[in-house]
Every structure is written in structure tokens, then in C-alpha cells.
Amino acid sequence: MADIMADTETTGGEVSYPLKVTYCGACSMPLEYCEYSTCKDACREWLEKNLPNLAGDIAIGDGGDEKKHQKRGGKGTTSGKGTKKQQEPAKITLQLSARSKNKNVTLVKGLATFGVDLKIASKVFSSKFACGCSVTGADEITIQGDFSDQLFDLIPEKWKQIDEDSIEDLGGEPNKR
Ligand SMILES: [Zn+2]
């Protein structure tokens, strides 16, 4: 009688084991995370020493502390995946900067990483805040005045792909609110 129950427990031979993850000896993180590690150099060294086969697959330390290769268009030396664009989280930053005693400007950086047209954004800001506003860099808009608070509401409202959490106020004000 009780045999039946015992049987069902042991017959399930197909147990799915957790995938084996290789951990890095330098930062103790799974290897995929090494590129985010703070000790990439140590990670790469460890990897080259212990798992040279994998060392090529995992891109650690693309930061350019090694010899700089001159960038030229066309074929790179590495074969394989087309682009080796690093995935870094997109972020918009707001920074208050004092131009003169009572004239603040707000620097908005990072909008372009969300696919926002800076010229349009600049127009949106200037009409919304009724102030001077211009594109001042590759991914930088300068707004005449302190509009950090309003920007937190306006940007996610205007561009749905941007979350309020993606906006960071770098401050710059001497007296915090
Ligand atoms: Zn590591």
C-alpha cells in the first residue's frame, strides 16, 4: 500500500540541475559579470590564466587602459559579432550650474541616448518654461534657469520611453532643498 507512494518519489529521474556557472576567481562573480566588475584587470588576468579559451569570448576591460588602437572605419581585427557596443544603462542627468550670481542654468544631458531629438526637446523646454534654451553639446541642452524639478515631470510625460528613475539630479545647488 505504502509502496506506491514511495515509488512515485524515486521514479522521477529527470531532475533538471541548475546550470553550472563559472565563477571568476578574481571578483567571485559569474564570468558574464566581470565586465561590470571594479577589478577588470584582475578578472582578465585570472581569466587568461585559468580559462584562456573563454578569455576571448568575454570582453573585459574594454575601457582603454591597454594600448589604444587607432580607430579607422572598416574592418576591425576582431571577427565575430558585428558591433561590440557595450550596454550601459542610459541615463539622463540634470545639473544646475551657476552662470552668475543670480543666474542659474540647468544642463540636461543624456536625452539623445533615449532617441530624443535635441532640437525638438530644446523647443519643448523653451516654450514650456518660457526661457532661453539651446543645444550646447552632442547630448547636452542648456536651459536658462533652474528647472530641475519641472524636468522630472516634463521629460517622462513628454517622452514615454523615459522613466523618471532614469533621470538623475546631479544637483549643484549650494543649499539643498
Ligand atoms: Zn571577474
Side-chain angles (χ1 to χ4, degrees):
M1 292 175 255
D3 285 343
I4 300 158
M5 283 173 78
D7 253 60
T8 52
E9 266 180 19
T10 45
T11 41
E14 293 169 76
V15 184
S16 60
Y17 291 98
L19 276 174
K20 205 190 168 199
V21 179
T22 311
Y23 291 93
C24 170
C27 67
S28 76
M29 299 280 280
L31 288 179
E32 309 98 278
Y33 292 99
C34 281
E35 61 176 301
Y36 306 110
S37 143
T38 48
C39 54
K40 289 176 192 171
D41 284 343
C43 290
R44 190 173 45 221
E45 214 172 280
W46 182 89
L47 198 63
E48 277 166 3
K49 228 177 255 174
N50 296 277
L51 299 161
N53 291 339
L54 284 173
D57 289 349
I58 297 175
I60 311 171
D62 221 13
D65 46 337
E66 300 283 279
K67 321 150 199 164
K68 280 178 203 158
H69 295 282
Q70 248 180 345
K71 267 192 196 163
R72 303 234 168 139
K75 319 157 194 168
T77 43
T78 46
S79 59
K81 286 138 209 171
T83 48
K84 57 163 189 175
K85 202 177 174 188
Q86 262 186 326
Q87 285 194 331
E88 40 187 289
K91 195 112 198 156
I92 290 172
T93 59
L94 310 178
Q95 190 166 22
L96 202 62
S97 153
R99 275 290 148 84
S100 63
K101 254 185 192 173
N102 37 22
K103 200 180 170 197
N104 287 322
V105 298
T106 310
L107 300 176
V108 185
K109 294 178 189 177
L111 280 170
T113 56
F114 286 88
V116 173
D117 186 316
L118 294 184
K119 282 181 189 161
I120 292 172
S122 161
K123 276 179 191 153
V124 168
F125 296 150
S126 64
S127 67
K128 183 87 182 172
F129 303 139
C131 67
C133 183
S134 51
V135 179
T136 49
D139 194 355
E140 181 187 275
I141 292 177
T142 302
I143 309 172
Q144 310 292 325
D146 176 8
F147 295 105
S148 319
D149 286 338
Q150 290 95 319
L151 286 166
F152 269 98
D153 295 327
L154 178 65
I155 292 174
E157 184 191 312
K158 196 79 195 172
W159 295 280
K160 303 293 180 196
Q161 73 271 34
I162 303 172
D163 193 82
E164 199 186 313
D165 295 335
S166 306
I167 307 172
E168 192 180 358
D169 189 354
L170 298 177
E173 244 175 324
N175 43 345
K176 285 245 170 179
R177 35 178 180 266

